[in-house]
Amino acid sequence: DHRRHRVHGAEEHVPAVAGGGAGDTGEHELASRRERRGKGRKPAKSKKRRTGCACMVVVLVFGGGLGGVGYFGYQFYQNRFGTAPDYAGDGTGETVTVEIPKGAGGWEIGRRLKEAGVVKSAEAFVHAQTNTPGADGIQAGAYLLKKEMSAASAVRLMLDPRSQNNVIVTPGERNSGVYAAIDKKLELSSGTTEKVAEKQYKSFGLPAWAQNHADLKDPLEGFLFPGTYPAAKGMKPEAVLQQMIGQAKQKYAAYGLNEKAGEFGLDSAYQLVTVASLVQAEGKTHDDFRKMAEVVYNRLKPDNTETNRKLQFDSTYNYLLGKSNIHISEEEINSNPSPYNTYRHPGLPPGPIGNPGEDALKAMLNPTHDGWIYFVATDGMSNTEFAKTYAEFLELKDKFNANTGN
């Protein structure tokens, strides 16, 4: 094949220089060169160098898939074999879902499309991708495509958002919303993914520090990491969940949560994830998050006499009810005995109340140290203001009442 031909071709030039199999003429020339170099010096290893260069060319041609490497790989194919096999038109009526993993380049994408019957050859796809503006930005995910498409049509369709079958987990989103989105993308009846999560959560390989916690509303809460994940009809919900959980495990391990818990007076990484979910839920902007993290840590301190270790967060109560409501009466809150009711129970809720994103995680590990212990969304929506004393808090509360008409 052409791989052997290129490497072998490089080797064929070696004997004339190094003498290997060159006959009397080669041996005489080699002896003459040794004499000119000086007694005892080793002959130059030109054979090894030339073979190495040839191998490098082969690796570039066949290992390529991104940018110029993909382009030159296609040019090599075209020069060696001619025009790449390709279908004509926009494809048949039969559709197929193709999953593209992270980091896949043009050749890998083309190979997967060929295996699925979408394009006729990976080489044709690389050529079409190279000649389509913006096509080098094709993202990982699941794509709904047609069989027997021209490579150019396949590229255009992959750039169309309508072909992309993914579930997006947004920072702070609760698992209930993610489950519903997976059901919709996989065209499953409502509640299917939630039931799978409830029955199989022990099989998803959660870290030891995330297991066996009591009174949890959902043991997978906080482990469907924000991001974009392939999800299309024909896939199983557990496969989609596994991707999200795997990403969460990877991120939490990278942050070293289990080792850092003690630095913040907490027992485990699970409590740190819980703090990050509170920061994400209560903070409205990037600047809020570090202050919100300090509020949480200050309220958890044993010597906190301002709130007696009670967080008093509406977000934990709303999570319990599956709602988002900033107008909760004291009577309603005081009557609910749930451990997620942080107005009644001191300390953290049993577990995370959503899926924190990168900003919240970083803020949780790097809080401010300014003495913040109170906060109020004074406009009733997104403008969160912080206070250090109860008197300052009452001023913010008056401002909230004036702005919201309470």
Side-chain angles (χ1 to χ4, degrees):
D1 61 27
H2 51 277
R3 186 191 299 265
R4 290 196 298 272
H5 174 78
R6 291 298 295 270
V7 177
H8 179 64
E11 291 174 345
E12 286 181 339
H13 292 289
V14 175
V17 177
D24 294 338
T25 303
E27 291 173 2
H28 175 75
E29 182 177 349
L30 180 59
S32 176
R33 290 188 178 190
R34 282 200 299 266
E35 187 176 334
R36 287 197 300 271
R37 290 192 190 104
K39 187 175 181 179
R41 295 186 64 180
K42 294 181 180 180
K45 297 182 180 179
S46 57
K47 177 177 180 179
K48 185 174 182 180
R49 283 201 304 271
R50 293 198 174 198
T51 303
C53 290
C55 288
M56 184 179 293
V57 172
V58 172
V59 169
L60 286 175
V61 169
F62 291 96
L66 295 172
V69 176
Y71 171 77
F72 288 114
Y74 175 76
Q75 290 300 310
F76 172 82
Y77 181 95
Q78 190 175 42
N79 294 336
R80 181 70 175 80
F81 300 107
T83 303
D86 197 2
Y87 292 121
D90 296 329
T92 66
E94 186 177 358
T95 59
V96 61
T97 298
V98 181
E99 185 176 340
I100 305 302
K102 288 183 178 180
W107 289 101
E108 173 66 9
I109 297 172
R111 182 187 67 77
R112 287 174 176 263
L113 296 183
K114 181 180 183 298
E115 289 180 352
V118 176
V119 299
K120 200 166 187 177
S121 68
E123 294 77 17
F125 177 83
V126 170
H127 177 62
Q129 185 187 36
T130 302
N131 288 278
T132 303
D136 57 346
I138 290 176
Q139 302 293 314
Y143 293 83
L144 185 64
L145 305 169
K146 297 179 181 179
K147 287 202 170 184
E148 299 186 8
M149 304 181 72
S150 71
S153 295
V155 170
R156 286 195 298 270
L157 189 54
M158 292 183 80
L159 293 173
D160 187 337
R162 290 174 295 181
S163 76
Q164 299 166 17
N165 285 261
N166 305 307
V167 165
I168 299 175
V169 181
T170 58
E173 187 172 6
R174 299 168 183 164
N175 281 9
S176 57
V178 181
Y179 296 150
I182 294 174
D183 285 342
K184 184 177 180 181
K185 282 292 184 180
L186 272 53
E187 298 185 23
L188 302 172
S189 57
S190 179
T192 299
T193 302
E194 185 173 8
K195 290 177 182 177
V196 168
E198 183 179 350
K199 292 180 180 179
Q200 300 185 27
Y201 74 89
K202 291 183 179 180
S203 68
F204 287 122
L206 292 175
W209 50 260
Q211 300 178 32
N212 303 318
H213 294 278
D215 301 320
L216 295 178
K217 183 179 178 182
D218 183 344
L220 293 183
E221 196 74 64
F223 279 85
L224 306 185
F225 200 81
T228 301
Y229 301 91
K233 184 179 180 180
M235 295 177 66
K236 293 184 177 180
E238 49 265 46
V240 181
L241 292 173
Q242 190 68 70
Q243 294 179 72
M244 299 173 178
I245 295 166
Q247 182 72 352
K249 289 167 60 180
Q250 179 181 331
K251 290 288 186 180
Y252 295 157
Y255 280 109
L257 298 192
N258 215 30
E259 296 77 19
K260 294 179 180 178
E263 296 178 17
F264 300 93
L266 302 179
D267 296 332
S268 70
Y270 194 68
Q271 289 188 329
L272 278 179
V273 176
T274 301
V275 172
S277 73
L278 296 172
V279 168
Q280 184 78 68
E282 293 285 359
K284 301 296 187 296
T285 68
H286 177 76
D287 291 338
D288 289 346
F289 289 152
R290 291 185 64 216
K291 294 179 181 179
M292 195 65 67
E294 185 187 358
V295 169
V296 174
Y297 293 132
N298 283 341
R299 290 196 178 195
L300 292 176
K301 288 179 179 178
D303 60 353
N304 167 21
T305 58
E306 293 285 333
T307 65
N308 297 316
R309 296 194 68 247
K310 293 179 180 177
L311 292 178
Q312 300 176 328
F313 280 13
D314 291 350
S315 56
T316 64
Y317 189 78
N318 281 325
Y319 172 76
L320 169 66
L321 301 180
K323 297 180 178 180
S324 296
N325 182 13
I326 62 171
H327 299 285
I328 306 172
S329 69
E330 291 187 16
E331 181 181 357
E332 178 185 358
I333 288 175
N334 291 333
S335 64
N336 194 314
S338 168
Y340 282 94
N341 183 355
T342 54
Y343 281 90
R344 285 190 58 166
H345 298 279
L348 292 169
I353 62 171
N355 295 289
E358 295 272 9
D359 278 353
L361 286 169
K362 292 175 181 177
M364 170 268 295
L365 293 172
N366 185 31
T368 56
H369 298 280
D370 299 323
W372 305 119
I373 197 166
Y374 297 100
F375 64 94
V376 177
T378 52
D379 65 348
M381 295 181 63
S382 59
N383 183 33
T384 303
E385 297 187 54
F386 294 82
K388 301 175 184 179
T389 67
Y390 186 68
E392 292 174 351
F393 163 72
L394 291 178
E395 292 179 9
L396 295 180
K397 189 175 179 181
D398 289 340
K399 191 174 181 180
F400 167 81
N401 291 334
N403 288 333
T404 59
N406 284 357

